Amino acid sequence: MSYQFLGTVETQPHYMGKHLAGRGEQRGDFLTASKAEHSFTVLVEIKKPSTKLIAETPYRQRAHMICGHLAGGVAQLQSNCRNWEIHGTRDDENRERLDPEQIHTVSPKGILIIGTTTQLDSVAKRTSFELFRRNLRNPEIITFDELIERAKHLLLNEEKNMPLGEDLDTPF
């Protein structure tokens, strides 16, 4: 499994400014950064757990279409990543805030959290969804139930790796 620990830089960030007429602003859910000596920005968008991933009826035999909100979320995040890299990182105020924290932007990663795998109730739906997301370079798509399982795994491993003496049941 690939784990990258992220810290929140900004909630509801602006990735691109408004046009002269006051339209065109691009906002996201979270601008995060990897946790390391030098950190790199990661854009996170969160949709609802109830968001449909795959169309109910096949597009062709054994191939289901990706639902509109999933396709839209991918397009939104790809656009936000591009605009953050091109426009947001050139803003003096953004650089003043991020440079001292050693937070950099190089082809930012996007993470889309959306839907649940319980919707994938047939082989054709599971295959269509997994082929779609595995062949997508950016963003990474994670379902809510997968995110919960990752959190459980991390918590269980954290509990197992607790230093001696911190566990109340440990006799020494």
Side-chain angles (χ1 to χ4, degrees), residues 101-116:
E101 296 179 48
Q102 298 295 315
I103 298 174
H104 315 285
T105 296
V106 178
S107 188
K109 177 180 181 171
I111 297 175
L112 178 61
I113 303 169
I114 187 169
T116 62

Side-chain angles (χ1 to χ4, degrees), residues 3 46 78-79 94 96 110 124 135 138 152-153 156-157 166:
Y3 290 108
I46 302 174
Q78 288 172 337
S79 177
N94 290 341
E96 280 180 28
N135 288 288
N138 198 23
K152 285 181 189 176
H153 176 77
L156 288 174
N157 279 335
E166 289 188 21

Side-chain angles (χ1 to χ4, degrees), residues 31-52:
L31 175 64
T32 66
S34 58
K35 292 292 199 176
E37 186 67 31
H38 285 273
S39 300
F40 296 90
T41 56
V42 177
L43 283 64
V44 179
E45 288 296 323
I46 302 174
K47 303 302 180 192
K48 294 179 180 178
S50 60
T51 302
K52 295 281 185 210

Side-chain angles (χ1 to χ4, degrees), residues 26-96:
Q26 279 189 286
R27 292 181 61 175
D29 290 333
F30 294 94
L31 175 64
T32 66
S34 58
K35 292 292 199 176
E37 186 67 31
H38 285 273
S39 300
F40 296 90
T41 56
V42 177
L43 283 64
V44 179
E45 288 296 323
I46 302 174
K47 303 302 180 192
K48 294 179 180 178
S50 60
T51 302
K52 295 281 185 210
L53 301 172
I54 298 287
E56 284 300 315
T57 56
Y59 174 71
R60 295 281 191 260
Q61 191 169 348
R62 294 186 296 273
H64 288 257
M65 286 189 350
I66 300 303
C67 279
H69 288 290
L70 174 55
V74 166
Q76 172 192 10
L77 200 41
Q78 288 172 337
S79 177
N80 286 349
C81 285
R82 180 175 185 273
N83 286 317
W84 171 247
E85 183 173 34
I86 292 171
H87 302 288
T89 57
R90 291 184 182 166
D91 181 82
D92 289 338
E93 189 175 308
N94 290 341
R95 279 200 314 274
E96 280 180 28

Side-chain angles (χ1 to χ4, degrees), residues 1-22:
M1 298 215 71
S2 174
Y3 290 108
Q4 185 176 47
F5 294 95
L6 305 174
T8 300
V9 174
E10 188 69 44
T11 59
Q12 299 290 298
H14 297 259
Y15 297 122
M16 188 173 160
K18 292 181 181 181
H19 293 293
L20 185 59

